[in-house]
Amino acid sequence: MKLARRLDGVKPSPTLAISAKAAELKSKGVDVVGFGAGEPDFDTPAIIKDAAKKAIDAGFTKYTPTGGIPPLREAIAARTSKRHGLEFKPNEALVSCGGKHALYNLFQALLNPGDEVVIFTPYWVSYADMVRLGEGSPVLVETTMERGFEPTAEQIHRAVGPRTRAVVVNSPSNPTGAMFSRATLQAVVDAVKGKEILVVSDDIYDRLVYRGKAENVLDLDPSLRPQVALVNGVSKTYAMTGWRIGWTVGPAALIASMQKLQDNSTSNASSIAQRAALGALTLPVDEEIEKMRATFDARRRHMVQRLNAIPGLSCFDPPGAFYAFPSVSALLGRRPAGQAEALQTDERLAAHLLEAHRVAAVPGSAFGAPGYLRLSFATSMEQIDKGVDRLAEMVHGLD
Ligand code: PLP
């Protein structure tokens, strides 16, 4: 069948593929440790689920305004205003079917053919493909573990040119958990200020912080506001990945354009999930959220310490999100005992880890960073120990 060319260069999400492969093995009774998934293992807090049940019982089951129910847009605007000490209005907030949908719509609404978007590697898999789907070109800027996965000011300035329309900042980051320092954020501000360039600040992990404070460009320079779109959602903070609620807060013209796209594609996000998200933002859930964060923190410390104790592995200490991102480059080129072929790439290593040692992890190549593995610590301590034991066993088995 003749299909649209625009999808030719777009790859299926490798993170979802690893999770699917792990799920398939599990369904066959194989005892797989899953470090692949990018979602909290906790249940959605009961009080939030109750808000959804009440919505169903009250018959709140019809179409809503495309951009989201007014109280949710108000709650998002209020939260964002409080967070940044600026006043955002509900018409500057748009509710979409998850943060992913928000970002997709944003690039569709922003880009024209040939426009460039600066993305720092390692990057969340979908950014580059979303830009391509918007007929733009991703400009990848490499960062390294040695520099805490932060670009230099010079790299930022060099990447921004006459065709740049956006710079994506994801701090804390998926896959590294790294956060941009004030100096790096300032370099982003300096590079874009006064130009036709939008800073797309993907703040989806901004409540999952273990060291320091997540800041974004608006905290450094509130006057940049007309050039900033903040993307966030309930998935990670409130353990609500399946509810599919995310949002964008940004310039009213951008929001109106994104809404036009939603009018003609998805319409509103689920009415029931919107009520649940409203519950998340307005009901007393802080204590439960803090418990989840503290649990992630304990797992993070444990996992990173254990990974760094494995010879050949070197793991950055992530200040945010829920991923460890160890370098495995010292292991590449080595051969599993008794096998003919050496593990030349992180992808081969991840495949071997899953097939021979039953641990699902995502190769760094999936994030534009060959030579690393991404291991999610959004799983129990017991699973972390079991998975790291198996990883250590794999390393010890290399010639
Ligand atoms: N941004 C980043 C960096 C992510 O890791 C994710 C989820 O994996 C998202 C956005 C989108 O999350 P959701 O669509 O579940 O709101």
Side-chain angles (χ1 to χ4, degrees), residues 48 51-52 69 72 75-76 79 95 233-234 238 240 243-247 270-283:
I48 296 176
I69 53 175
L72 181 55
I76 292 165
R79 153 174 295 226
V95 179
V234 293
Y238 300 95
M240 292 178 69
W243 300 79
R244 310 310 302 131
I245 298 290
W247 56 80
S270 150
S271 59
I272 299 150
Q274 287 190 68
R275 278 280 180 86
L278 179 62
L281 298 191
T282 56
L283 295 170

Side-chain angles (χ1 to χ4, degrees), residues 98-100 103 124 127 170 174 202 204-205 235-236 244 323:
K100 195 180 241 183
L103 285 158
W124 181 48
Y127 295 137
N170 176 218
N174 175 7
D202 179 352
I204 200 109
Y205 294 101
S235 289
K236 316 286 180 177
R244 310 310 302 131
Y323 309 102

Side-chain angles (χ1 to χ4, degrees), residues 180-315:
F180 278 10
S181 64
R182 297 203 116 211
T184 303
L185 291 172
Q186 187 61 53
V188 173
V189 173
D190 294 342
V192 304
K193 195 158 181 181
K195 301 178 185 156
E196 269 291 326
I197 301 176
L198 188 74
V199 177
V200 178
S201 190
D202 179 352
D203 300 339
I204 200 109
Y205 294 101
D206 69 349
R207 301 281 290 265
L208 291 170
V209 172
Y210 315 106
R211 217 173 44 238
K213 185 171 176 271
E215 289 185 300
N216 72 25
V217 285
L218 275 187
D219 299 315
L220 259 83
D221 188 349
S223 75
L224 197 71
R225 180 173 167 171
Q227 286 180 248
V228 180
L230 308 170
V231 176
N232 214 319
V234 293
S235 289
K236 316 286 180 177
T237 309
Y238 300 95
M240 292 178 69
T241 45
W243 300 79
R244 310 310 302 131
I245 298 290
W247 56 80
T248 309
V249 175
L254 173 75
I255 296 298
S257 196
M258 289 171 67
Q259 167 148 344
K260 206 160 60 174
L261 183 58
Q262 287 187 188
D263 283 345
N264 293 292
S265 51
T266 48
S267 294
N268 58 277
S270 150
S271 59
I272 299 150
Q274 287 190 68
R275 278 280 180 86
L278 179 62
L281 298 191
T282 56
L283 295 170
V285 289
D286 280 357
E287 217 172 284
E288 206 161 333
I289 298 315
E290 172 51 24
K291 245 190 245 164
M292 294 189 210
R293 194 203 62 84
T295 306
F296 282 136
D297 192 18
R299 294 167 174 177
R300 175 186 73 94
R301 288 162 195 261
H302 185 66
M303 189 186 223
V304 170
Q305 189 230 329
R306 286 214 55 199
L307 290 172
N308 275 324
I310 300 175
L313 250 63
S314 165
C315 189

